[in-house]
Amino acid sequence: MRDDYQQLVDEITTVLRAPATLENRDFALIAFGAQDSDDSDDTEEPALDPVRTRSILQRRSTAAVRAWFEAFGIARAQAPLRIPPDPAAGVFMGRICLPVRHRGVVHGYVWLLDDGHLADLELGGPGGAPDPRLARAMETAARIGALLAAEARAGEELGELLREVLTGPPAGRDAARAGLGAALRGAADGPLALVAVVPWTPGTGEDADHPGLPHLPGIVAACVLPGSTAAGAGLAALIRLRTATALDPARATAEQLLRSPRATTAGSAPDGPPPKAAAGVSAPRRGLEELSAAWQEALAAARAAHADARLGPVAEWSAIGPYRLLATLPALRPDAAVRPLLEPAHAELARTAETFLDCAGQAGRTAQRLGIHRQTLYYRLSRVRQLTGLDLDAGEDRLLLHMTLKAARLGPPWR
């Protein structure tokens, strides 16, 4: 289907004699065309537009660029729109936006760089007809819209099956697994990995017809799972791997997903910006039998990435250490001895104790990591002993303190 998109974008580029770019509703790049200038009298290369260049190289536009263009009403547009340049926003050239619609729903956008050749192009509007060339381009955009709509429907059907396999009632999981396997054909045999991105904002309002399922190479199925975390919904993406030992494709896809404008919490926190999204990657799997377990691994890894900045923003299940165990435990009250150390007033002491235990009790490494003098470290550790009554020279006391601090950092369980 990607070849179909490229062919249609090239068709628009040829008709309008201007470079065209196709992006989906979330501004992820699908295809782009370059104008063939062999028959042109102009020998001067066209100026580069940073926004278009970034979109092509990174396969996605930034949130700021998206907000700039959406301010012109492109998500509601029924007809082509002309958007002026804004060098301050990195938009050095004006654009004509062709909304890609199907049955009243915008599924994407075709962007035409206006380097001066399109200045006399009549867009039409009330009482006026568009330029015939533009009318032909809009017909092609409608064909693109039909393809995107069909792809979205297929993706949603796969997503429903994946959601049923991951979180549905046990009685229905076998049937869902069989349906997913039949739909994926050979890809169902693996190797595969699951990626969890949390939080993930599904479509609302004008985006209600767009559940926010990503369309990236390597993703064979994806679904949004409401209430996966205290911060909101999470995204589950099933990724095809090249080998059973290399998670690079899953990690690369997770990094791309984190750049999506949906990889965030709607609204804002009371005392600051909303928490940033994080992603977790499960261990590789063969086939679909263990997807539920893989989802728990991916979710635990994402939870660990949220808890510990050293692991994020993308964490693999195999690399989260003690969080592999702690993430499987139900919510527990902190141990009574350690509870005083978890009060906000003692946050610095708690961080010191955790770093000391992370460094296997080596004072020199701990002081260096914290950027403090050894005597300061010894004083803080003595305060930890006074608050908790625990002996930091005793292995069992150290284990109790370490696990309690890690569990407190991890927070309540996610589903």
Side-chain angles (χ1 to χ4, degrees):
M1 190 171 286
R2 296 291 151 175
D3 290 341
D4 293 336
Y5 291 133
Q6 186 63 59
Q7 182 178 348
L8 293 171
V9 169
D10 289 342
E11 185 177 311
I12 292 176
T13 295
T14 301
V15 167
L16 295 177
R17 300 177 61 81
T21 303
L22 172 63
E23 294 179 334
N24 68 13
R25 178 64 181 261
D26 288 327
F27 285 60
L29 181 69
I30 297 174
F32 65 91
Q35 182 180 355
D36 185 355
S37 59
D38 289 346
D39 59 351
S40 172
D41 294 334
D42 297 330
T43 57
E44 185 177 337
E45 290 289 330
L48 294 178
D49 183 89
V51 169
R52 184 175 192 264
T53 302
R54 189 186 303 114
S55 173
I56 292 173
L57 294 178
Q58 299 184 2
R59 314 299 294 183
R60 183 178 295 278
S61 295
T62 66
V65 168
R66 171 178 174 154
W68 159 256
F69 286 118
E70 286 186 337
F72 289 90
I74 60 175
R76 302 180 300 276
Q78 303 285 334
L81 292 175
R82 194 182 295 275
I83 298 177
D86 182 5
V91 183
F92 288 179
M93 293 187 192
R95 282 168 172 67
I96 292 177
C97 174
L98 310 184
V100 177
R101 305 179 70 88
H102 182 71
R103 295 183 177 177
V105 176
V106 172
H107 289 274
Y109 309 100
V110 171
W111 300 98
L112 301 163
L113 281 181
D114 186 1
D115 58 358
H117 292 84
L118 302 178
D120 61 346
L121 196 66
E122 290 293 334
L123 302 192
D131 186 291
R133 294 170 296 165
L134 192 59
R136 287 177 57 192
M138 285 298 292
E139 291 174 0
T140 304
R143 290 158 57 195
I144 295 174
L147 286 177
L148 285 173
E151 187 176 356
R153 285 194 300 273
E156 289 170 19
E157 291 171 2
L158 287 174
E160 289 294 336
L161 289 170
L162 179 61
R163 183 184 297 110
E164 190 73 12
V165 170
L166 299 183
T167 62
R173 291 188 185 182
D174 288 343
R177 190 180 297 111
L180 184 60
L184 296 181
R185 300 180 181 177
D189 296 330
L192 302 163
L194 268 170
V195 167
V197 180
V198 289
W200 185 269
T201 305
T204 58
E206 292 180 354
D207 282 340
D209 293 312
H210 300 269
L213 299 182
H215 300 283
L216 294 174
I219 296 181
V220 296
C223 63
V224 179
L225 299 173
S228 298
T229 74
L235 176 78
L238 187 60
I239 311 298
R240 184 181 347 201
L241 305 177
R242 289 188 289 270
T243 70
T245 58
L247 285 168
D248 293 351
R251 189 175 188 92
T253 299
E255 291 170 352
Q256 284 184 284
L257 290 171
L258 287 176
R259 292 196 288 269
S260 168
R262 296 185 185 274
T264 183
T265 299
S268 59
D271 56 351
K276 293 183 179 179
V281 181
S282 75
R285 292 298 197 282
R286 284 282 185 184
L288 307 178
E289 295 298 322
E290 297 182 353
L291 286 190
S292 294
W295 170 242
Q296 294 305 317
E297 291 174 359
L299 204 55
R303 187 179 168 199
H306 266 289
D308 194 330
R310 293 174 299 173
L311 298 173
V314 178
E316 297 177 13
W317 163 255
S318 61
I320 61 175
Y323 295 117
R324 292 207 301 263
L325 173 63
L326 294 172
T328 65
L329 300 177
L332 300 173
R333 288 176 57 84
D335 184 81
V338 185
R339 201 173 299 146
L341 190 61
L342 299 178
E343 296 176 1
H346 301 308
E348 192 63 47
L349 292 179
R351 187 170 76 95
T352 299
E354 184 179 3
T355 305
F356 176 70
L357 295 169
D358 286 345
C359 293
Q362 298 181 28
R365 285 177 56 200
T366 305
Q368 183 177 22
R369 182 177 293 184
L370 293 173
I372 60 176
H373 194 275
R374 280 199 186 200
Q375 291 303 317
T376 303
L377 172 64
Y378 294 142
Y379 169 74
R380 291 183 183 177
L381 293 178
S382 69
R383 290 281 295 123
V384 170
R385 293 188 184 94
Q386 293 171 8
L387 280 170
T388 64
L390 297 176
D391 182 359
L392 297 186
D393 292 326
E396 290 187 353
D397 282 5
R398 288 167 68 154
L399 179 60
L400 173 64
L401 177 60
H402 205 183
M403 291 298 97
T404 304
L405 290 172
K406 292 294 185 187
R409 178 186 291 276
L410 195 60
W414 291 358
R415 295 185 290 124

